[in-house]
Amino acid sequence: MYRKTERMDDIDTMFSHLLGEMDTLSQSLMPAADSPEVDAGSQGNCPISIGFSDLNESLNEMEDQDLDALVADLESTSDGHDPGDQGAGSLAAASATLGPAWEPKAAATLPPPSNSVESSEEMVEPQTKADRIHLALEKLKEAKVRKLIVKLLMSDGSSKTLMVDERQTVREVLDKLFEKTHCDCGIDWSLCETNSELQIERGFEDHEHLVELLSAWTRFSENKIYFLSRPQRYLMFTEPQLFYMWKKKTACLSGIKEEAKQLLIKEHFGGSTVIVPDLEGKLYLKEDGKKLWKPHYFMLRASGLYYVPKGKTRAISDLVCFVRFEKVNIYTTKNYKHKYKAPSDFCFVLKHPCIQRESLYVRFLCCDDKHTLSLWVNSIRIAKYGTVLFENYQTAVKKASGSQPLHFAADRYNSAAPNPAPPKTTNVEDYPHEPPPDFIPPPPPSQNTHV
Amino acid sequence: MASWDLAVTVEDLGSDAPAVTLSVASDLHVGGVILKLVEKTQIKRDWSDHAIWWEQKQQWLLRTAWTLEKYGIHADARLLFMPQHKPLKLGLPNGKTLRLKACFSRPVFQTVMGICKILDIRHPEELSLLRPIEEKKKKKDKDSAEEIYDLTEVPLSSASRPLLYDGMPAHFADSPEMEAVYKMLSVTQPPPAPEVIAKQYRPASVVDKAHINGRWLDSSRCLMQQGIQENDRVWLRFKYFSFYDMDPKYDVVRLTQLYEQARWAILLEDIDCTEEEMMLFGALQYHISKVSQSEPQMVSSNAAMDDLDSALQSLEVKLEGESSSHSFTSTINMISYFRPKRLTLKGYKQYWFKFQDTSISYFKSKEESIGEPIQQINLKGCEVAPDVNVTAQKFLIRLLIPAPEGMNEVYLRCENEEQYAQWMAGCRLASKGKTLADSSFQNEIQSIRSFLAMQKKSSHGNAPTNDESINTHSLVSPRYHKKYKAKQLTPRILDAYQNVAQLSLTDAVMRFLQIWQALPDFGLSYVVVRFKGSRKDEVLGIAPNRLIRIDLAVGDVVKTWRYNNMKQWNVNWDIRQMAIEFEGNINIAFGCVTADCKIVHEFIGGYIFMSTRSRAKSDTLNEELFHKLTGGHEAL
């Protein structure tokens, strides 16, 4: 217990520190109001940066209702997170709770209940000091949140403009778009980035943070984001046999039963380790800086993509690591037969997300046909993202089946405060308790055997 | 009924003592025989563990209500009265030997359950016993010097005693010796000396790997029936590679022993991995051995305290992060270029460098550092690689910094170890998006220092020093002993080490196991078989979810059958052939060459048993089902 008491004292000291820091922080944010970006935002001290195009232009392009929504967004944001007067007020309340003289009345200085989530959070009196620390930390984070105004292109050629803050995942942006577009909320909807210079595209993964992804773009980037349905997005979960039984003929795979699929998913994604498809075969590799493609034997392992640069044996000692997936993303390509004289148009690209132009650090690979390309691209996604990809899929399925009422999400986004616990985690928790049925074990050996 | 003389040897009277002769009738039940026997010996002791073994029939007379007639026992029967639990030398996955009392009268499945209870290993169905590989006679004198941990004093009923507060079973707290045994079981062993690895048997081919599987004991028969005698040595190993419900909180011994088995599988190339993977396994072993020396046990601390700790930690980080006081500066030589311009290589130039948050900035001189830097480079997402040679005093940091046009290559040449450790640590944190204020910064510096120290020592390796420090050859398989000198391995392992250096002991062990389980050949047990109608030997690979057929000529998998398509399987014991029917009228049959067909049958049935386990039923083991699935309908 002694140790714990000491801790608590520490917390007190830290809290007073924290308050001091908050002051400095809010002051340091004030001058930001002079910057033209925020001026255009006109709502005060939210650090908003502009995306890839002119802000005024984007704002002009917005539909009236969207603009209203954006303004509402900004207002609530500044209400909730203004590190100036109100923010300091709410923090003062928080700090007062540490003193012995604290009375519930102090709650009156809390922000107005217009942002429902946050206020409900604070109605419940923080149980422990740890809770209060968490709360204070949240506030601290709020003050520094980066926001982007993003123009998303629809498949019908129209566009939507959204404000996205850096904490929002692609999943959350998709949910927001579901509300705005009244689409079918299916699992195939995705945000897709295109790079016209390299003629590549990539569907963002649902757990990625949109603002972070966009910050890799250059200032005058021609890159675009599309909101569209990509039918093969979760192919590894809807048709797992294509990946985990890829050596079998497609004819025998087509008749596979649903429970056999569920078993495959359980075997490869249900354990403590995600099992990557044991893909291997010939791919064409574009020679550095040349329009020359040479065939090599490639092999996918959980630790990376390997190939046999020379010789013909495929012994483990001949395998050379071609690339590991931690720092590269996988992109599909358009019209590479023409652009790079590729053997086919079924190519994929591995590169660091920051690289936007052709470079020696961009790896170009080419497959024989569309099916092989789909196998490699999706299997590499499994190797790169592992369990997260499966969680994304489960969330997407839940979303599509409408098990989560839409208004819940709506509430969340009209209010400024983030929900500290994303609903995703509960979904993931739920799943393992209802495992797909196991296959029925074969009957014990028949009687006619010799004993 | 006529009475006749029955001679029973009582083991406790000594091997020279004559058999005790009883006058019995055929309708006397076994319990009555035992009662008479005990009275006649006139020894007062606890006989409850004793039972009668019928030598000719190789059978225990465990049904005490059965009469001699029912068992078919006549005066010529050689009967032995002895304890059912006898000492057994158990070779553990970590290479240590343990002496404990195991059950010799029940099916091996139950014997293993009993052993696992004493050792505190959950899910005993995943383990089994193997006959060890015969050791060469030469090593005999060395064997006698081997340390044997003794657990024979553990009372048989002790398994039902409650666990102690830290998860250790109570019987391990009885004495300091017992605690030492628990430590051996629950703490990972230090890396073995390279010579020890080199000396061990290494399978060179898939056929070699198949031979070990002929050594598994039959789970449905008892030890006595399989010729295992008191004080014989057997190996305890994980047999079914389908590990259920791993929980570091309850599985301290289980995880440690599994890690040891996996580590040896990697070191002895029992499972193939690539060079990159080997370096990562090496780095994890290094880290695990280092952390387990400082952390006595894998005891997980109170969850609530953890929360508070992490909250405090992030608070600390936040506060320090805001205060922007975390930066450091020094004079460093730098060279930077874009790869296409590599040919126009210029020499290093000296600048005044400043490290702040996740960026480095450089200035012409210290005096100009108040103004705008020549360049500021954000290291977030960049690649950091060491290029170090302590003896040559070369301390280079190679940075690959992504930019829209490609990667910028920057080399920082540090003056000395200290400067290098600080800047390298900063670069690594920054590449992960962490600032210098992060609590791991000091640890990072420490781990770089210790690795530099390691290189220093291994560079003195020319002289035969008896160095206490880890030789990097201890961390990789002998193939790499030949390929690289210890000195050359150090930077490779260091490179992999940066990604794992911050893991806790438990996390590092779990990571090791995860990477092992993700290897393509993981979980395969091989047997050489002869398919019906085929004239050549082929290899059958048995995995948790499928069977594979490997053509030895091609050396490749030619066929895969999944268990979920299996309709039925059986054994023809007369010709010792296994037949399996799969959906779609696919029938296969094969005889087994390197293992008894009971072993193969048990493997397949065992895996099907493993897949029937579920959370709800996990407390009780359905032993009956196991025997039903693995027994091949052989009379028990």
Side-chain angles (χ1 to χ4, degrees):
Chain A
M1 261 343 271
Y2 170 71
R3 190 165 154 249
K4 193 155 184 174
T5 335
E6 200 179 48
R7 272 275 157 69
M8 289 305 181
D9 288 348
D10 279 354
I11 297 178
D12 285 350
T13 343
M14 280 188 184
F15 240 129
S16 22
H17 261 295
L18 177 69
L19 285 171
E21 292 307 325
M22 285 300 289
D23 278 350
T24 343
L25 187 67
S26 48
Q27 277 156 24
S28 73
L29 278 171
M30 290 314 232
D34 298 335
S35 83
E37 293 173 6
V38 180
D39 199 32
S42 78
Q43 285 301 327
N45 8 19
C46 285
I48 299 172
S49 37
I50 321 165
F52 23 89
S53 56
D54 182 47
L55 177 65
N56 279 323
E57 192 190 321
S58 323
L59 290 176
N60 284 331
E61 275 179 23
M62 283 175 99
E63 295 160 35
D64 276 355
Q65 60 186 71
D66 284 339
L67 195 56
D68 286 348
L70 178 60
V71 170
D73 235 3
L74 289 169
E75 268 167 1
S76 66
T77 312
S78 57
D79 274 355
H81 314 301
D82 186 348
D85 293 343
Q86 288 212 16
S90 69
L91 264 168
S95 71
T97 62
L98 293 173
W102 183 76
E103 281 173 72
K105 262 188 245 160
T109 62
L110 291 175
S114 65
N115 49 62
S116 53
V117 174
E118 180 160 308
S119 59
S120 67
E121 227 171 50
E122 296 190 5
M123 295 304 257
V124 184
E125 189 182 318
Q127 292 296 309
T128 64
K129 287 193 179 181
D131 284 348
R132 281 183 240 138
I133 292 175
H134 280 302
L135 197 69
L137 284 175
E138 281 304 317
K139 287 188 179 299
L140 250 175
K141 277 187 206 145
E142 296 269 335
K144 290 182 78 184
V145 172
R146 235 179 353 146
K147 295 184 176 68
L148 278 183
I149 291 175
V150 182
K151 187 171 140 188
L152 301 156
L153 303 171
M154 306 286 133
S155 42
D156 63 0
S158 66
S159 70
K160 294 258 182 243
T161 308
L162 285 185
M163 191 179 73
V164 184
D165 84 39
E166 63 179 344
R167 294 162 306 184
Q168 278 175 305
T169 61
V170 169
R171 176 76 255 162
E172 290 169 311
V173 176
L174 283 174
D175 292 347
K176 206 168 176 178
L177 283 163
F178 285 175
E179 288 165 45
K180 284 184 191 282
T181 59
H182 308 289
C183 66
D184 65 358
C185 307
I187 61 166
D188 293 329
W189 286 101
S190 57
L191 291 184
C192 176
E193 162 195 39
T194 63
N195 176 319
S196 56
E197 190 164 341
L198 281 167
Q199 294 181 16
I200 53 172
E201 59 178 68
R202 176 174 90 92
F204 290 145
E205 304 297 345
D206 290 354
H207 66 279
E208 293 179 300
H209 290 88
L210 190 58
V211 171
E212 194 189 329
L213 296 170
L214 299 185
S215 60
W217 294 9
T218 53
R219 193 164 177 84
F220 302 105
S221 176
E222 298 281 303
N223 293 6
K224 293 191 166 53
I225 314 174
Y226 288 88
F227 172 63
L228 41 79
S229 185
R230 286 163 71 90
Q232 302 219 319
R233 190 156 104 103
Y234 285 123
L235 196 65
M236 63 288 272
F237 303 115
T238 52
E239 307 291 337
Q241 75 283 3
L242 297 180
F243 299 88
Y244 291 101
M245 298 165 76
W246 63 275
K247 283 176 187 161
K248 301 237 180 206
K249 288 184 196 95
T250 33
C252 36
L253 291 183
S254 56
I256 191 161
K257 290 183 201 122
E258 187 53 36
E259 57 190 75
K261 288 185 188 178
Q262 290 305 322
L263 181 67
L264 280 173
I265 292 178
K266 190 186 165 195
E267 281 172 4
H268 297 98
F269 294 92
S272 60
T273 310
V274 166
I275 307 297
V276 174
D278 57 345
L279 213 55
E280 55 185 36
K282 182 192 71 184
L283 293 175
Y284 298 91
L285 170 64
K286 185 174 169 289
E287 300 267 297
D288 278 357
K290 290 180 227 159
K291 286 188 176 172
L292 191 64
W293 299 72
K294 277 198 175 167
H296 287 285
Y297 196 80
F298 279 82
M299 185 182 278
L300 180 65
R301 296 172 72 95
S303 57
L305 183 60
Y306 291 79
Y307 75 132
V308 185
K310 286 173 210 148
K312 276 175 188 166
T313 62
R314 296 165 197 171
I316 191 96
S317 48
D318 297 324
L319 286 183
V320 172
C321 188
F322 179 70
V323 70
R324 292 196 305 197
F325 303 122
E326 289 95 2
K327 296 218 163 88
V328 298
N329 282 338
I330 182 157
Y331 300 79
T332 51
T333 66
K334 276 225 166 78
N335 209 6
Y336 264 31
K337 227 167 149 172
H338 179 251
K339 185 174 168 78
Y340 288 121
K341 297 215 173 358
S344 80
D345 268 335
F346 309 108
C347 302
F348 64 91
V349 163
L350 292 160
K351 69 164 185 73
H352 192 287
C354 285
I355 302 177
Q356 300 291 332
R357 286 187 258 293
E358 198 180 327
S359 134
L360 295 176
Y361 296 92
V362 180
R363 313 292 207 138
F364 301 94
L365 290 156
C366 181
C367 310
D368 280 329
D369 53 58
K370 196 179 171 187
H371 178 69
T372 317
L373 175 67
S374 159
L375 281 185
W376 281 98
V377 171
N378 286 313
S379 299
I380 289 175
R381 284 171 65 210
I382 297 174
K384 178 169 169 69
Y385 302 107
T387 328
V388 177
L389 198 64
F390 187 44
E391 289 166 4
N392 289 347
Y393 167 70
Q394 289 171 312
T395 312
V397 168
K398 271 217 165 145
K399 202 80 208 173
S401 66
S403 65
Q404 214 166 21
L406 273 175
H407 65 261
F408 168 72
D411 276 348
R412 247 183 102 187
Y413 289 110
N414 290 338
S415 68
N419 188 340
K424 200 173 83 184
T425 45
T426 55
N427 298 346
V428 177
E429 276 290 292
D430 285 348
Y431 190 79
H433 299 297
E434 310 150 32
D438 270 326
F439 61 90
I440 299 140
S446 56
Q447 295 294 335
N448 56 18
T449 54
H450 298 262
V451 176
Chain B
M1 199 172 257
S3 63
W4 43 277
D5 280 353
L6 178 69
V8 182
T9 311
V10 179
E11 199 188 63
D12 300 67
L13 296 177
S15 51
D16 298 334
V20 177
T21 308
L22 306 170
S23 177
V24 297
S26 291
D27 65 346
L28 181 67
H29 49 75
V30 172
V33 175
I34 293 175
L35 204 63
K36 280 193 170 193
L37 204 59
V38 168
E39 273 168 9
K40 202 151 186 190
T41 57
Q42 291 191 321
I43 301 174
K44 276 206 164 32
R45 54 160 293 173
D46 178 9
W47 294 99
S48 62
D49 189 43
H50 281 60
I52 298 173
W53 167 252
W54 186 2
E55 218 175 297
Q56 290 106 321
K57 281 271 172 114
Q58 291 285 298
Q59 184 186 2
W60 286 89
L61 310 182
L62 294 178
R63 293 174 201 269
T64 47
W66 278 24
T67 61
L68 293 173
E69 191 177 13
K70 192 162 184 187
Y71 266 120
I73 289 171
H74 305 288
D76 64 344
R78 280 204 303 278
L79 300 180
L80 197 63
F81 187 58
M82 60 184 174
Q84 299 176 56
H85 287 82
K86 294 155 172 285
L88 189 67
K89 275 193 212 134
L90 203 62
L92 297 172
N94 66 1
K96 299 286 169 193
T97 304
L98 193 71
R99 219 165 139 260
L100 50 63
K101 274 191 184 158
C103 180
F104 275 66
S105 63
R106 301 271 170 190
V108 164
F109 189 76
Q110 276 188 22
T111 309
V112 175
M113 278 170 74
I115 291 171
C116 288
K117 233 174 193 177
I118 294 177
L119 302 187
D120 193 30
I121 297 176
R122 298 195 309 151
H123 295 287
E125 67 274 14
E126 291 160 6
L127 296 96
S128 194
L129 300 176
L130 277 164
R131 291 171 209 276
I133 294 171
E134 294 82 12
E135 285 169 26
K136 286 174 195 134
K137 289 267 154 75
K138 278 182 202 165
K139 285 203 246 161
K140 210 168 186 182
D141 30 358
K142 210 186 145 196
D143 262 12
S144 55
E146 182 198 31
E147 186 181 7
I148 293 183
Y149 293 85
D150 197 89
L151 275 181
T152 47
E153 297 309 313
V154 177
L156 295 173
S157 57
S158 68
S160 53
R161 282 166 67 184
L163 298 185
L164 289 188
Y165 63 97
D166 57 353
M168 183 171 78
H171 55 259
F172 286 116
D174 289 349
S175 67
E177 291 79 34
M178 293 294 275
E179 274 185 48
V181 174
Y182 188 71
K183 191 170 175 234
M184 178 275 290
L185 288 168
S186 60
V187 179
T188 59
Q189 297 295 312
E195 309 82 60
V196 174
I197 306 175
K199 236 189 260 170
Q200 302 258 340
Y201 170 76
R202 281 193 313 281
S205 67
V206 69
V207 175
D208 285 353
K209 289 177 194 172
H211 280 279
I212 189 82
N213 288 314
R215 301 178 164 276
W216 290 107
L217 295 183
D218 185 341
S219 294
S220 49
R221 295 193 300 148
C222 70
L223 289 178
M224 283 294 280
Q225 283 169 332
Q226 304 185 57
I228 305 290
Q229 304 289 327
E230 184 171 337
N231 277 323
D232 273 0
R233 180 191 293 269
V234 292
W235 286 351
L236 178 73
R237 293 289 185 274
F238 290 88
K239 177 180 181 184
Y240 297 102
F241 294 90
S242 155
F243 312 117
Y244 193 76
D245 186 27
M246 277 287 189
D247 188 339
K249 217 167 163 182
Y250 303 109
D251 289 324
V252 181
V253 178
R254 184 175 174 217
L255 271 176
T256 307
Q257 296 304 321
L258 185 58
Y259 163 74
E260 292 284 350
Q261 188 168 331
R263 177 235 289 253
W264 281 105
I266 302 284
L267 288 180
L268 299 179
E269 290 166 22
D270 202 26
I271 182 167
D272 285 338
C273 65
T274 64
E275 193 167 318
E276 279 70 24
E277 287 155 356
M278 185 61 86
M279 297 307 143
L280 184 51
F281 282 125
L284 280 165
Q285 286 178 73
Y286 171 75
H287 184 59
I288 288 167
S289 90
K290 221 178 71 166
V291 189
S292 61
Q293 279 161 21
S294 50
E295 271 179 64
Q297 273 174 31
M298 282 202 267
V299 177
S300 47
S301 55
N302 186 317
M305 257 346 242
D306 280 353
D307 271 0
L308 194 58
D309 278 350
S310 67
L312 273 171
Q313 205 171 48
S314 61
L315 178 65
E316 205 173 342
V317 170
K318 210 71 194 179
L319 289 176
E320 288 176 359
E322 308 307 351
S323 68
S324 72
S325 61
H326 271 260
S327 61
F328 50 77
T329 52
S330 38
T331 308
I332 291 181
N333 291 307
M334 182 192 81
I335 190 165
S336 144
Y337 47 78
F338 257 131
R339 204 171 144 196
K341 296 179 197 158
R342 191 167 209 162
L343 296 172
T344 62
L345 194 67
K346 283 179 278 177
Y348 283 90
K349 264 192 172 176
Q350 205 170 66
Y351 295 99
W352 177 253
F353 269 79
K354 186 175 181 195
F355 205 124
Q356 185 160 19
D357 294 332
T358 59
S359 302
I360 50 174
S361 326
Y362 58 97
F363 307 84
K364 256 199 177 127
S365 65
K366 188 180 179 182
E367 290 68 40
E368 287 179 32
S369 64
I370 315 133
E372 281 288 304
I374 300 170
Q375 201 193 349
Q376 185 177 16
I377 309 166
N378 193 338
L379 300 181
K380 200 176 163 186
C382 79
E383 277 178 50
V384 188
D387 184 358
V388 177
N389 189 328
V390 181
T391 20
Q393 287 290 298
K394 179 170 106 179
F395 301 103
L396 271 182
I397 302 172
R398 176 176 178 253
L399 300 170
L400 264 182
I401 300 151
E405 295 78 22
M407 295 280 195
N408 263 318
E409 271 182 74
V410 175
Y411 285 84
L412 302 178
R413 200 172 68 192
C414 299
E415 299 272 310
N416 53 40
E417 274 180 62
E418 265 318 290
Q419 193 186 45
Y420 170 80
Q422 189 184 32
W423 280 81
M424 188 66 179
C427 290
R428 278 193 197 154
L429 287 189
S431 76
K432 292 177 204 155
K434 291 181 187 166
T435 69
L436 302 175
D438 198 274
S439 56
S440 58
F441 181 54
Q442 287 306 325
N443 292 344
E444 195 76 50
I445 293 182
Q446 264 313 322
S447 68
I448 294 168
R449 277 190 197 133
S450 68
F451 230 101
L452 288 178
M454 194 165 131
Q455 202 190 28
K456 234 191 240 167
K457 278 168 192 156
S458 59
S459 63
H460 295 306
N462 308 352
T465 47
N466 256 343
D467 218 315
E468 285 292 306
S469 74
I470 295 174
N471 181 336
T472 43
H473 277 170
S474 299
L475 306 170
V476 294
S477 77
R479 186 198 301 171
Y480 297 97
H481 298 184
K482 291 173 204 133
K483 196 167 174 186
Y484 298 110
K485 289 178 188 152
K487 201 165 62 176
Q488 293 170 311
L489 271 176
T490 312
R492 305 265 344 243
I493 295 179
L494 173 63
D495 202 16
Y497 177 63
Q498 12 169 329
N499 297 321
V500 299
Q502 302 305 327
L503 294 177
S504 73
L505 180 55
T506 311
D507 289 346
V509 169
M510 291 300 264
R511 178 75 64 88
F512 190 100
L513 294 176
Q514 277 169 8
I515 301 170
W516 174 54
Q517 290 179 67
L519 295 176
D521 293 340
F522 168 80
L524 281 169
S525 306
Y526 303 100
V527 193
V528 177
V529 296
R530 181 76 62 93
F531 277 91
K532 197 175 167 183
S534 169
R535 289 184 176 189
K536 54 174 189 201
D537 283 350
E538 283 171 88
V539 170
L540 184 75
I542 307 165
N545 58 359
R546 67 193 190 279
L547 296 173
I548 58 169
R549 179 175 181 171
I550 300 170
D551 186 323
L552 284 171
V554 187
D556 223 348
V557 179
V558 290
K559 196 90 192 143
T560 303
W561 300 282
R562 290 173 48 81
Y563 298 147
N564 67 319
N565 290 326
M566 205 154 117
K567 283 174 82 178
Q568 69 165 1
W569 79 102
N570 53 48
V571 183
N572 184 333
W573 293 108
D574 288 345
I575 54 169
R576 304 204 81 78
Q577 191 181 60
M578 268 209 71
I580 309 176
E581 186 190 342
F582 293 95
E583 272 167 28
N585 270 331
I586 300 164
N587 285 289
I588 59 168
F590 52 85
C592 306
V593 180
T594 53
D596 191 274
C597 73
K598 171 66 176 57
I599 292 176
V600 177
H601 187 277
E602 190 182 314
F603 250 121
I604 296 171
Y607 271 128
I608 287 164
F609 175 77
M610 300 298 149
S611 72
T612 64
R613 295 178 293 179
S614 72
R615 206 168 288 263
K617 294 179 284 183
S618 65
D619 284 348
T620 50
L621 205 48
N622 190 342
E623 203 189 329
E624 196 190 334
L625 180 64
F626 179 85
H627 289 304
K628 207 164 156 186
L629 291 170
T630 60
H633 227 249
E634 201 179 22
L636 291 183

